[in-house]
Amino acid sequence: MPYPSYSGMKEEDISALFAYLQTVPAVDEAPKYKTDLPFPFNIRSLMIGWNFLNVPSTENRDGLTETQQRGEYIVNNLEHCGTCHTPRNSTMGFDKKMYLSGAQLGHWHAPNITPDDSSGIGSWSEQDIVTYLRTGELDQRAYAGGPMGEAVAHSTRYLKNEDLNAIASYLKAVPAIQTDDKVAAVDVSRLPTPISESITHDLLAQKDYLAQAKAQVSNGSNSPESLYLAACGSCHGVDGYGQPDARYAPIVGLSSIRREKPDALVNMILHGVEGATNTSPIMPGFSDELNSEQIAGITNYVRVNFGGLNSSEVSASDVDRIATTGTDKPFLIKYAGLLAVIGIIVAIIIIVFIIRAILRSRRRR
């Protein structure tokens, strides 16, 4: 619950939100799940200390234009972009020095959205940002899937143009932060071209062309190309341009397949992707159908043939590592039980000393 971000909302926006929630039909049904936090996280009073350290989660900057100030308000509070895109510190609050530089979310990675040219969105124009937040797609650069797909589907695509423009203006003004997950520049000369101008809109032609492509690879082949054609080609097309009419995403040139770290692409293949709109098809995951070596082969094939990379050397061991890697637990979470016990012992010792001091003072009287 991103209340540290909501804490910066204006009173009129909170009142408007409350007024809307009162119009939602009441549901008289018990929650499916009951919150059951382990000790010491079930002690609500501990949040007083956490709030003191981490609320508010962001700080307003000086020197912004009126439009950028509006964008800052939306990004930091209403849309709470940092909830996903800012890494956490040892207390699970925002690491403000790494503001919007990207963070791990379980299997997903929210990318760097600062204006850094090599690892962020420095090459995007303000209109690019607006287009992406409105549609969830940016031709030959980005496609919103997973949690970002949900954000576009349920939120940003409904924003007014002036608010989207304000967000874009602000994101171009935040301090650029370079991370080690750099994105290779698009080499258009290495990207495939559509078979014809009409084939991406002609499903029957695509079906025939896919059958021809499969026939050209050896029967029973376990090559990366044959694996791609068998698992991915029917949706994304032989040449990666998808099926726009059926809303199957094109994957040519996407930043997620041009990153130095292949984690994002591997996780998409392993776990699947939900689209950015309610009508977008859902990409299934292949973790139960393909082994690590096969997924590594598809990953390399896609990165070279559709990402324009000179080479890709993702191995089965890389896939295994990515499949089993979760978010590192911060110090506070990892040692919460031990810290709670130590805290209780220290509190007891302090209380004992206070009682002894009181008793001694009374004896002296």
Side-chain angles (χ1 to χ4, degrees):
M1 176 60 185
Y3 73 89
S5 297
Y6 292 152
S7 67
M9 287 176 61
K10 298 176 182 178
E11 288 296 326
E12 56 264 36
D13 287 335
I14 295 176
S15 297
L17 181 60
F18 178 78
Y20 167 72
L21 291 175
Q22 299 310 299
T23 69
V24 177
V27 178
D28 186 13
E29 183 178 336
K32 186 176 181 180
Y33 299 102
K34 181 180 179 181
T35 300
D36 186 19
L37 295 175
F39 177 82
F41 300 109
N42 56 352
I43 304 175
R44 291 181 179 270
S45 58
L46 292 179
M47 295 306 298
I48 297 174
W50 192 90
N51 290 338
F52 176 78
L53 295 173
N54 298 299
V55 178
S57 57
T58 54
E59 300 173 357
N60 292 335
R61 295 175 53 220
D62 297 326
L64 299 179
T65 66
E66 185 176 347
T67 297
Q68 290 168 343
Q69 288 175 358
R70 174 64 178 170
E72 180 181 55
Y73 174 67
I74 298 173
V75 167
N76 288 346
N77 300 291
L78 303 180
E79 291 294 338
H80 50 275
C81 303
T83 298
C84 292
H85 291 277
T86 298
R88 304 280 173 165
N89 58 30
S90 59
T91 67
M92 283 297 287
F94 281 6
D95 182 352
K96 296 180 182 180
K97 294 180 180 179
M98 299 298 290
Y99 176 63
L100 299 182
S101 65
Q104 193 68 28
L105 301 170
H107 295 302
W108 291 98
H109 183 268
N112 184 344
I113 55 172
T114 72
D116 178 68
D117 288 330
S118 62
S119 57
I121 56 173
S123 63
W124 293 23
S125 67
E126 291 186 19
Q127 185 56 50
D128 288 337
I129 297 174
V130 170
T131 299
Y132 179 73
L133 294 177
R134 175 71 74 196
T135 66
E137 299 179 22
L138 201 57
D139 187 39
Q140 295 191 352
R141 271 180 288 180
Y143 179 82
M148 189 62 206
E150 295 177 6
V152 173
H154 302 297
S155 181
T156 60
R157 70 184 177 121
Y158 296 109
L159 293 180
K160 298 177 181 178
N161 286 332
E162 53 264 38
D163 287 336
L164 288 176
N165 288 327
I167 290 174
S169 180
Y170 173 68
L171 289 179
K172 296 295 287 185
V174 303
I177 299 175
Q178 185 179 94
T179 61
D180 60 356
D181 190 17
K182 297 180 181 179
V183 182
V186 176
D187 184 353
V188 178
S189 66
R190 294 184 59 85
L191 298 180
T193 55
I195 302 306
S196 68
E197 293 183 359
S198 63
I199 193 170
T200 54
H201 298 277
D202 189 337
L203 301 185
L204 293 179
Q206 282 205 38
K207 182 179 178 181
D208 293 339
Y209 188 69
L210 176 61
Q212 295 173 18
K214 287 181 177 179
Q216 291 176 359
V217 298
S218 58
N219 293 331
S221 171
N222 201 37
S223 68
E225 181 182 11
S226 63
L227 289 170
Y228 171 82
L229 293 175
C232 318
S234 60
C235 295
H236 296 297
V238 174
D239 292 319
Y241 282 94
Q243 299 175 11
D245 291 349
R247 300 198 64 79
Y248 288 110
I251 58 176
V252 174
L254 296 185
S255 60
S256 57
I257 66 179
R258 290 185 285 110
R259 291 189 172 276
E260 288 189 6
K261 295 182 179 181
D263 299 40
L265 177 57
V266 170
N267 274 317
M268 290 179 190
I269 299 172
L270 284 169
H271 306 292
V273 180
E274 291 189 10
T277 66
N278 300 333
T279 57
S280 297
I282 297 176
M283 172 182 164
F286 293 92
S287 58
D288 295 331
E289 299 179 28
L290 302 175
N291 60 39
S292 297
E293 186 175 354
Q294 292 172 322
I295 291 176
I298 293 177
T299 301
N300 291 325
Y301 181 82
V302 168
R303 282 161 62 84
V304 171
N305 289 276
F306 306 134
L309 301 184
N310 291 322
S311 63
S312 177
E313 299 179 357
V314 179
S315 65
S317 60
D318 291 327
V319 174
D320 291 335
R321 172 188 59 78
I322 294 168
T324 56
T325 297
T327 304
D328 291 336
K329 292 183 179 179
F331 178 86
L332 183 65
I333 303 297
K334 189 180 295 184
Y335 299 105
L338 177 61
L339 292 173
V341 172
I342 293 175
I344 292 173
I345 294 174
V346 171
I348 293 174
I349 292 174
I350 293 174
I351 293 172
V352 170
F353 273 105
I354 292 174
I355 294 174
R356 288 184 62 184
I358 294 174
L359 292 176
R360 285 181 179 178
S361 64
R362 289 182 177 178
R363 289 173 184 173
R364 290 174 183 173
R365 294 176 184 175

